[in-house]
Amino acid sequence: ARLEDLLVLIRVKTREYRGLFFWPFFILTAAFAFCFTLGSLAGTFFRIMVSDMAFGWQSTLVASGGRIHDLVSFIALPWSGILPEHLALPSLTQIEGSRIILKEGIATLATHDLVSWWPFLCMGLVVYAVIPRGLLLLTGILARRSALERFDPDRPMFRRLLIQLQSREIGRA
């Protein structure tokens, strides 16, 4: 019972400061994740621009080009209405043309089928990585601002703490 009372007391005491300590840590983590995903997108786009990159697919499962196209179409739903169809996702013929069969190698694959994947991959990074992490960062910044606005240092509990801190500084001087 004493331990439970102690835990309740700690929760009550830390309730006032929780937002002030949590949100800066959250913002720092979200900023790191946002910058990392933005760097991943920039690095991918840069590699696509300066090197001869092609994307293909293979599967050990029995997967047809139609099933892969359905999956890719579902993944591309957020941006498929905004971008032209040739940029939003590879067509069924491009998906079938970019399937890599190990016994045959990649010599028989057409370049335009292999390069049709990069807009889809970049948009996937934007929609599923950069934007959500940017929203988390913005949420953290707004929540920290709200926590700072709610914090009232003129309440008696904080005034006592401020007086104690100032008296210790005065005593040391």
Side-chain angles (χ1 to χ4, degrees), residues 51-74:
S51 64
D52 186 18
M53 287 192 68
F55 301 94
W57 67 279
Q58 64 182 355
S59 176
T60 55
L61 302 174
V62 179
S64 66
R67 285 192 179 184
I68 299 298
H69 184 265
D70 292 342
L71 177 64
V72 167
S73 297
F74 179 73

Side-chain angles (χ1 to χ4, degrees), residues 9-69:
L9 180 65
I10 289 171
R11 268 190 237 122
V12 169
K13 291 273 189 185
T14 60
R15 184 181 313 145
E16 301 295 328
Y17 305 108
R18 188 176 309 146
L20 297 176
F21 292 115
F22 173 75
W23 290 115
F25 177 73
F26 182 88
I27 291 169
L28 184 65
T29 306
F32 175 78
F34 179 73
C35 291
F36 182 83
T37 55
L38 205 58
S40 297
L41 176 65
T44 302
F45 196 64
F46 181 74
R47 289 223 33 216
I48 289 168
M49 286 183 355
V50 300
S51 64
D52 186 18
M53 287 192 68
F55 301 94
W57 67 279
Q58 64 182 355
S59 176
T60 55
L61 302 174
V62 179
S64 66
R67 285 192 179 184
I68 299 298
H69 184 265

Side-chain angles (χ1 to χ4, degrees), residues 90-148:
S91 67
L92 178 58
T93 56
Q94 289 171 326
I95 290 174
E96 288 173 347
S98 63
R99 182 173 188 172
I100 299 170
I101 300 173
L102 288 179
K103 292 184 279 183
E104 296 174 9
I106 63 168
T108 61
L109 301 177
T111 302
H112 71 305
D113 292 337
L114 294 171
V115 299
S116 66
W117 284 93
W118 76 262
F120 170 76
L121 295 172
C122 287
M123 285 306 297
L125 275 171
V126 168
V127 170
Y128 294 113
V130 174
I131 291 174
R133 283 161 181 79
L135 291 174
L136 283 174
L137 179 61
L138 183 63
T139 300
I141 291 169
L142 294 175
R144 181 187 62 102
R145 183 177 295 156
S146 174
L148 284 173

Side-chain angles (χ1 to χ4, degrees), residues 9 11-17 151-165:
L9 180 65
R11 268 190 237 122
V12 169
K13 291 273 189 185
T14 60
R15 184 181 313 145
E16 301 295 328
Y17 305 108
F151 184 73
D152 183 14
D154 291 330
R155 285 190 282 187
M157 179 168 80
F158 300 124
R159 297 297 281 158
R160 275 195 315 266
L161 179 62
L162 187 60
I163 290 169
Q164 285 176 350
L165 290 172

